Amino acid sequence: MSTYQPLLTLIQNRIEQKDKSPLYLKIAESVKLATEQKLLKGGDFIPTEREFSDRLGVSRITVRKALDVLDKEGVIVRSRGLGTMISETVEYSGKEATGFSQQAVLKGKKPDTLWIKKDVIECSSEIASKLSIKENEQVFLLKRVRYIDEQAVSIEESYVPAHLIKNPDEIQLSLYDYFRSQDISPTKTQSRVSAQMPTQESLEKLAIDNNVPVLLIEQTAYDKQGVPIEYSINHCRGDMYVFVSED
C-alpha cells in the first residue's frame, strides 16, 4: 500500500477542504490531479474499492461513484481479474465535447500540435451540410498532426465557419480553448467511426507500419444552442485511441 500513499494523501487533503463538492467528486478530482502532477501515469494501477474505502474511511458506494466518473471520462480502465489502472489511450467521445488536449492532460501526458494548414476555403456541399451552411460559403480548413509525449497519434482536418475565427494565429494547441476565449462553448458532439488501413499520408506522418489499423472518426461539434461549430475528419492510430459512443 505504500506505493499508493502519495495518491491517498492527495485525496485526503482534498476531502478535508471545506466546500460543498460531493465526496465522490473530490476523490475523482484528486485522481485526475494526480495524473496532471505525474503522481500517476498511463498503466499505473490504483487501489481497489475496498482499499480506497478502508484507507480513506469512506463508503464503498462513494468510492464506486468516483470510479464511475473516472471511467466515464476515460481516465481509468477497469479489468476484471487485474484491477483498475490509469488509461494509456486517448478517448474520442461521442457524448461530450472534450478536446484532445484536455484528454491528454487528464492522463498526465503532454499534448502537442504540428500545424499544416490554416486556410480559408469555399466549402463543398458535403461540408456545408455538416455545418448547416450554404455550399461555397467560406470556412477555415485547419489541418494538423497531433502528438502525445512527442509521438504522432492522429492527423486531423477541421472545418469551421469563417465568422467564428477572428485570427487563426491565435489558435495554438487547442481549438476548443480558442472557441472558449471567444465565448463559444463546445457542448456536445455527434460522431461516426470506422476502421481502415492506413493511407500513405498516415504511414508517413504517424510513422506507423502497414499493419497498424487507423480509426477514421468524423465528428461534428455543437454549441449550447445546438448550432454546428466544427466538422472534423480524423485519422487516428487504432492502437492508441478508444472511441466512446453516445448512450
Side-chain angles (χ1 to χ4, degrees):
M1 285 296 297
S2 60
T3 57
Y4 298 143
Q5 194 54 52
L7 172 62
L8 294 169
T9 299
L10 193 69
I11 296 173
Q12 194 64 58
N13 290 340
R14 179 67 183 96
I15 288 174
E16 292 172 358
Q17 293 178 11
K18 304 301 182 181
D19 58 68
K20 295 182 180 180
S21 294
L23 193 55
Y24 76 94
L25 285 182
K26 290 184 176 182
I27 296 172
E29 289 169 5
S30 299
V31 174
K32 290 188 283 188
L33 181 60
T35 65
E36 294 175 24
Q37 294 182 351
K38 310 295 185 182
L39 296 178
L40 294 172
K41 61 182 184 300
D44 284 348
F45 283 91
I46 62 175
T48 64
E49 283 185 14
R50 176 176 293 178
E51 288 171 330
F52 266 134
S53 178
D54 291 345
R55 292 297 297 267
L56 297 173
V58 300
S59 72
R60 290 186 65 173
I61 292 176
T62 297
V63 174
R64 188 173 301 126
K65 288 180 69 175
L67 296 179
D68 286 344
V69 169
L70 294 168
D71 191 7
K72 180 181 178 181
E73 294 184 0
V75 178
I76 62 172
V77 175
R78 289 159 155 169
S79 178
R80 183 172 297 177
L82 289 178
T84 301
M85 68 177 69
I86 301 300
S87 173
E88 296 185 277
T89 60
V90 177
E91 180 180 287
Y92 247 100
S93 176
K95 300 175 183 178
E96 301 174 351
T98 304
F100 171 94
S101 300
Q102 181 181 351
Q103 280 292 327
V105 170
L106 285 175
K107 293 175 173 59
K109 300 177 182 295
K110 179 185 176 183
D112 205 354
T113 292
L114 174 64
W115 286 102
I116 299 173
K117 289 182 180 179
K118 292 182 181 179
D119 297 339
V120 176
I121 63 170
E122 293 183 352
C123 69
S124 65
S125 58
E126 179 184 2
I127 301 300
S129 67
K130 299 293 185 182
L131 294 174
S132 299
I133 59 179
K134 295 180 180 179
E135 183 178 357
N136 296 325
E137 277 196 33
Q138 289 192 330
V139 297
F140 270 96
L141 165 58
L142 308 172
K143 185 171 182 178
R144 54 194 161 167
V145 180
R146 308 303 298 261
Y147 292 80
I148 291 179
D149 293 341
E150 300 183 354
Q151 182 174 9
V153 296
S154 66
I155 304 169
E156 301 187 2
E157 290 184 7
S158 294
Y159 297 87
V160 178
H163 70 276
L164 296 180
I165 297 178
K166 296 178 181 178
N167 182 0
D169 291 336
E170 293 180 0
I171 306 172
Q172 299 298 320
L173 193 62
S174 170
L175 173 61
Y176 283 10
D177 282 351
Y178 174 79
F179 277 150
R180 294 184 184 103
S181 75
Q182 303 299 309
D183 294 323
I184 301 168
S185 299
T187 303
K188 68 173 184 177
T189 60
Q190 290 183 345
S191 307
R192 180 177 181 272
V193 61
S194 58
Q196 64 174 211
M197 296 307 295
T199 63
Q200 188 60 39
E201 183 180 35
S202 296
L203 291 173
E204 294 173 358
K205 288 187 167 56
L206 302 182
I208 57 177
D209 296 329
N210 284 312
N211 59 353
V212 174
V214 170
L215 288 179
L216 177 63
I217 301 175
E218 300 171 69
Q219 185 164 275
T220 306
Y222 300 84
D223 66 11
K224 291 180 180 179
Q225 287 72 45
V227 177
I229 57 176
E230 178 206 16
Y231 171 65
S232 62
I233 302 171
N234 312 283
H235 295 81
C236 309
R237 286 186 59 141
D239 58 344
M240 295 191 70
Y241 274 77
V242 171
F243 181 79
V244 179
S245 64
E246 292 182 272
D247 292 332

